[in-house]
């Protein structure tokens, strides 16, 4: 609406016309034809992406590995834990696990414990990248594999997500979906993030927006929500509830998250308002049993992380480092895009209805 027309309406109808005009302006974004690029190329994986290889039986016999877990009792870390325990049985090492409970002080206590237990190597998965230097200083001087969150300055190698790529494959699929089905029209773009994990958040969530914009043009009505260290469900649910309240009548809300937990929380918030159909979901990770996401009205895409197979990347490389062999500093997961159309092919055991 042009400014002259708005002034004319205001002079005749007062400020209520301005409010109506403003509401119409925010009601949704329709990309111009020049902004829609359905020919945008799909993202390509970086060179550091590795292949999952079987662990050689007995390859770590006699070694003790300390494992600082992010938090137990959630699908991603539980799948990771099962994979590490299976690897321990196959390779022959002793696994000592300490649950950091997503708390920096507890993670610090974990490495102090490992120091007294004379571990040969460390696997560290703790949420606060800013706390890593103190944790490194207090831990044993052994090779360290950091999982998904950098642990400078003591990390020997990083094993985990190809964060930019994992974000980009989801963002590209969201862009293609909205370009083909809605002419890139949507009401808001809600991004559930975790600033505490530092560059991981920047790359993963920034990757989603970058690839989406390559198809649909600049993101409109962006709502960035910090969900706490590691992406916490309670913080996400509370803030998404407030965000939905502030978006009455919005029927196409693109909702992306740094992990499954925050998306589950977003659905819970929407459910209390009868609005699950308003959320169009772009997710990170895939737990085949998390049916409330995969059967949601508008689940569009997720990046599979395969936490149950992380050990296949962690253990052989950590054993090499312990033996003094050189390993790559970046060992990244071979992500796959999962959509409602291909989910059963990637995960044959998928049974959600």
């Amino acid at each position: 609406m042009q400014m002259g027309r708005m002034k004319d309406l205001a002079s005749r109808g007062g400020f209520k016309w301005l409010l109506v005009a403003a509401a119409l302006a925010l009601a949704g974004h329709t990309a111009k034809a020049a902004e829609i690029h359905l020919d945008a190329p799909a993202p390509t994986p970086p060179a550091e992406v590795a292949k999952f290889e079987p662990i050689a039986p007995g390859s770590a016999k006699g070694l003790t590995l300390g494992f600082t877990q992010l938090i137990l009792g959630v699908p991603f870390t539980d799948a990771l834990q099962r994979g590490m325990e299976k690897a321990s049985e196959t390779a022959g090492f002793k696994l000592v696990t300490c649950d950091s409970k997503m708390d920096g002080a507890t993670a610090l206590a974990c490495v102090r414990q490992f120091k007294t237990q004379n571990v040969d190597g460390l696997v560290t998965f703790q949420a606060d990248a800013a706390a890593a230097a103190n944790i490194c200083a207090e831990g044993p001087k052994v090779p360290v594999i950091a999982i998904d969150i950098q642990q400078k300055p003591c990390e020997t190698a990083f094993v985990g997500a190809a964060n930019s790529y994992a974000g980009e494959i989801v963002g590209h699929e969201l862009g293609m979906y909205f370009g083909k089905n809605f002419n890139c029209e949507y009401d808001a773009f809600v991004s559930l993030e975790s600033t505490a994990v530092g560059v991981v958040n920047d790359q993963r969530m920034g990757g989603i927006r970058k690839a989406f914009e390559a198809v649909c043009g600049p993101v409109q009505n962006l709502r960035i929500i910090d969900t706490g260290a590691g992406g916490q469900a309670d913080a996400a649910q509370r803030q998404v509830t407030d965000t939905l309240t502030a978006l009455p009548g919005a029927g196409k809300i693109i909702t992306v998250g740094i992990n499954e937990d925050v998306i589950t929380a977003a659905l819970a918030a929407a459910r209390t308002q009868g609005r699950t159909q308003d959320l169009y979901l772009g997710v990170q990770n895939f737990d085949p049993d998390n049916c409330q996401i995969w059967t949601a009205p508008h689940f569009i895409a997720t990046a599979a992380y395969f936490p149950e197979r992380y050990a296949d990347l962690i253990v052989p490389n950590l054993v090499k480092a312990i033996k003094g062999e050189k390993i790559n500093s970046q060992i990244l997961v071979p992500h796959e895009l999962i959509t409602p159309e291909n989910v059963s092919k990637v995960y044959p055991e998928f049974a959600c209805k």
Side-chain angles (χ1 to χ4, degrees):
M1 184 176 291
Q2 295 185 3
M3 187 60 69
R5 176 63 173 158
M6 289 178 68
K7 287 180 178 178
D8 182 56
L9 287 171
S11 66
R12 287 188 283 142
F15 284 108
K16 73 175 184 178
W17 285 105
L18 289 175
L19 295 174
V20 170
L24 289 171
L26 294 173
H29 166 67
T30 303
K32 297 177 182 178
E35 291 179 318
I36 301 173
H37 299 284
L38 295 179
D39 58 348
T44 56
E48 295 84 359
V49 167
K51 292 182 179 180
F52 292 123
E53 301 288 354
I55 293 173
S59 56
K61 188 175 181 179
L63 297 179
T64 299
L65 304 183
F67 181 20
T68 300
Q69 258 282 21
L70 182 69
I71 184 170
L72 291 170
V74 298
F76 186 96
T77 53
D78 285 352
L80 172 60
Q81 186 70 28
R82 289 192 298 270
M84 288 295 292
E85 290 171 358
K86 181 180 178 182
S88 173
E89 295 173 3
T90 301
F93 63 89
K94 179 182 178 181
L95 179 67
V96 183
T97 300
C98 182
D99 185 357
S100 72
K101 305 183 189 300
M102 297 181 73
D103 176 70
T106 304
L108 185 63
C110 287
V111 294
R112 287 171 173 164
Q113 169 191 324
F114 294 145
K115 194 171 186 178
T116 67
Q117 294 172 313
N118 298 314
V119 300
D120 298 290
L122 291 177
V123 181
T124 303
F125 192 12
Q126 72 89 20
D128 189 355
N134 287 336
I135 292 170
C136 285
E138 293 291 326
K141 307 309 177 191
V142 297
V144 176
I145 295 283
I147 300 179
D148 274 337
I149 300 165
Q150 291 185 338
Q151 302 297 313
K152 302 286 188 179
C154 63
E155 87 177 28
T156 306
F158 173 94
V159 170
N163 285 296
S164 294
Y165 177 65
E168 288 167 6
I169 59 176
V170 170
H172 179 266
E173 187 68 16
L174 283 167
M176 295 298 286
Y177 179 89
F178 271 83
K180 291 175 180 177
N181 291 285
F182 302 118
N183 201 36
C184 287
E185 178 183 351
Y186 55 95
D187 297 305
F189 193 111
V190 175
S191 186
L192 303 171
E193 307 195 3
S194 172
T195 58
V197 300
V199 67
V200 170
N201 182 81
D202 298 340
Q203 292 178 347
R204 192 177 301 180
M205 306 312 292
I208 292 175
R209 291 194 290 275
K210 174 185 175 183
F212 178 85
E213 289 179 335
V215 180
C216 282
V219 168
Q220 305 294 315
N221 202 6
L222 175 63
R223 310 292 181 96
I224 294 177
I225 295 174
D226 185 8
T227 62
Q232 299 175 30
D234 55 349
Q237 183 170 346
R238 182 178 64 253
Q239 294 183 80
V240 172
T241 297
D242 294 342
T243 300
L244 290 175
T245 301
L247 292 168
K252 291 193 289 290
I253 303 172
I254 298 172
T255 306
V256 298
I258 195 166
N259 58 27
E260 284 178 275
D261 297 341
V262 296
I263 294 296
T264 300
L267 284 169
R271 198 174 299 117
T272 62
Q273 299 185 26
R275 297 183 64 184
T276 55
Q277 74 282 356
D278 294 344
L279 305 189
Y280 289 73
L281 305 175
V283 194
Q284 295 289 304
N285 193 44
F286 181 82
D287 170 19
D289 297 323
N290 200 349
C291 296
Q292 59 184 310
I293 295 180
W294 321 129
T295 60
H298 299 300
F299 159 59
I300 308 303
T302 190
Y305 279 59
F306 308 105
E308 68 277 7
R309 300 202 62 186
Y310 267 41
D312 296 348
L313 302 177
I314 295 167
V315 173
N317 283 288
L318 185 53
V319 170
K320 287 179 182 178
I322 291 169
K323 292 179 178 179
E325 299 177 29
K326 184 176 178 58
I327 62 174
N328 293 333
S329 61
Q330 293 278 308
I331 304 161
L332 304 183
V333 170
H335 299 285
E336 290 190 42
L337 178 72
I338 292 182
T339 68
E341 290 70 37
N342 75 346
V343 58
S344 295
K345 181 179 179 181
V346 180
Y347 274 89
E349 67 272 29
F350 178 74
C352 296
K353 301 295 183 182

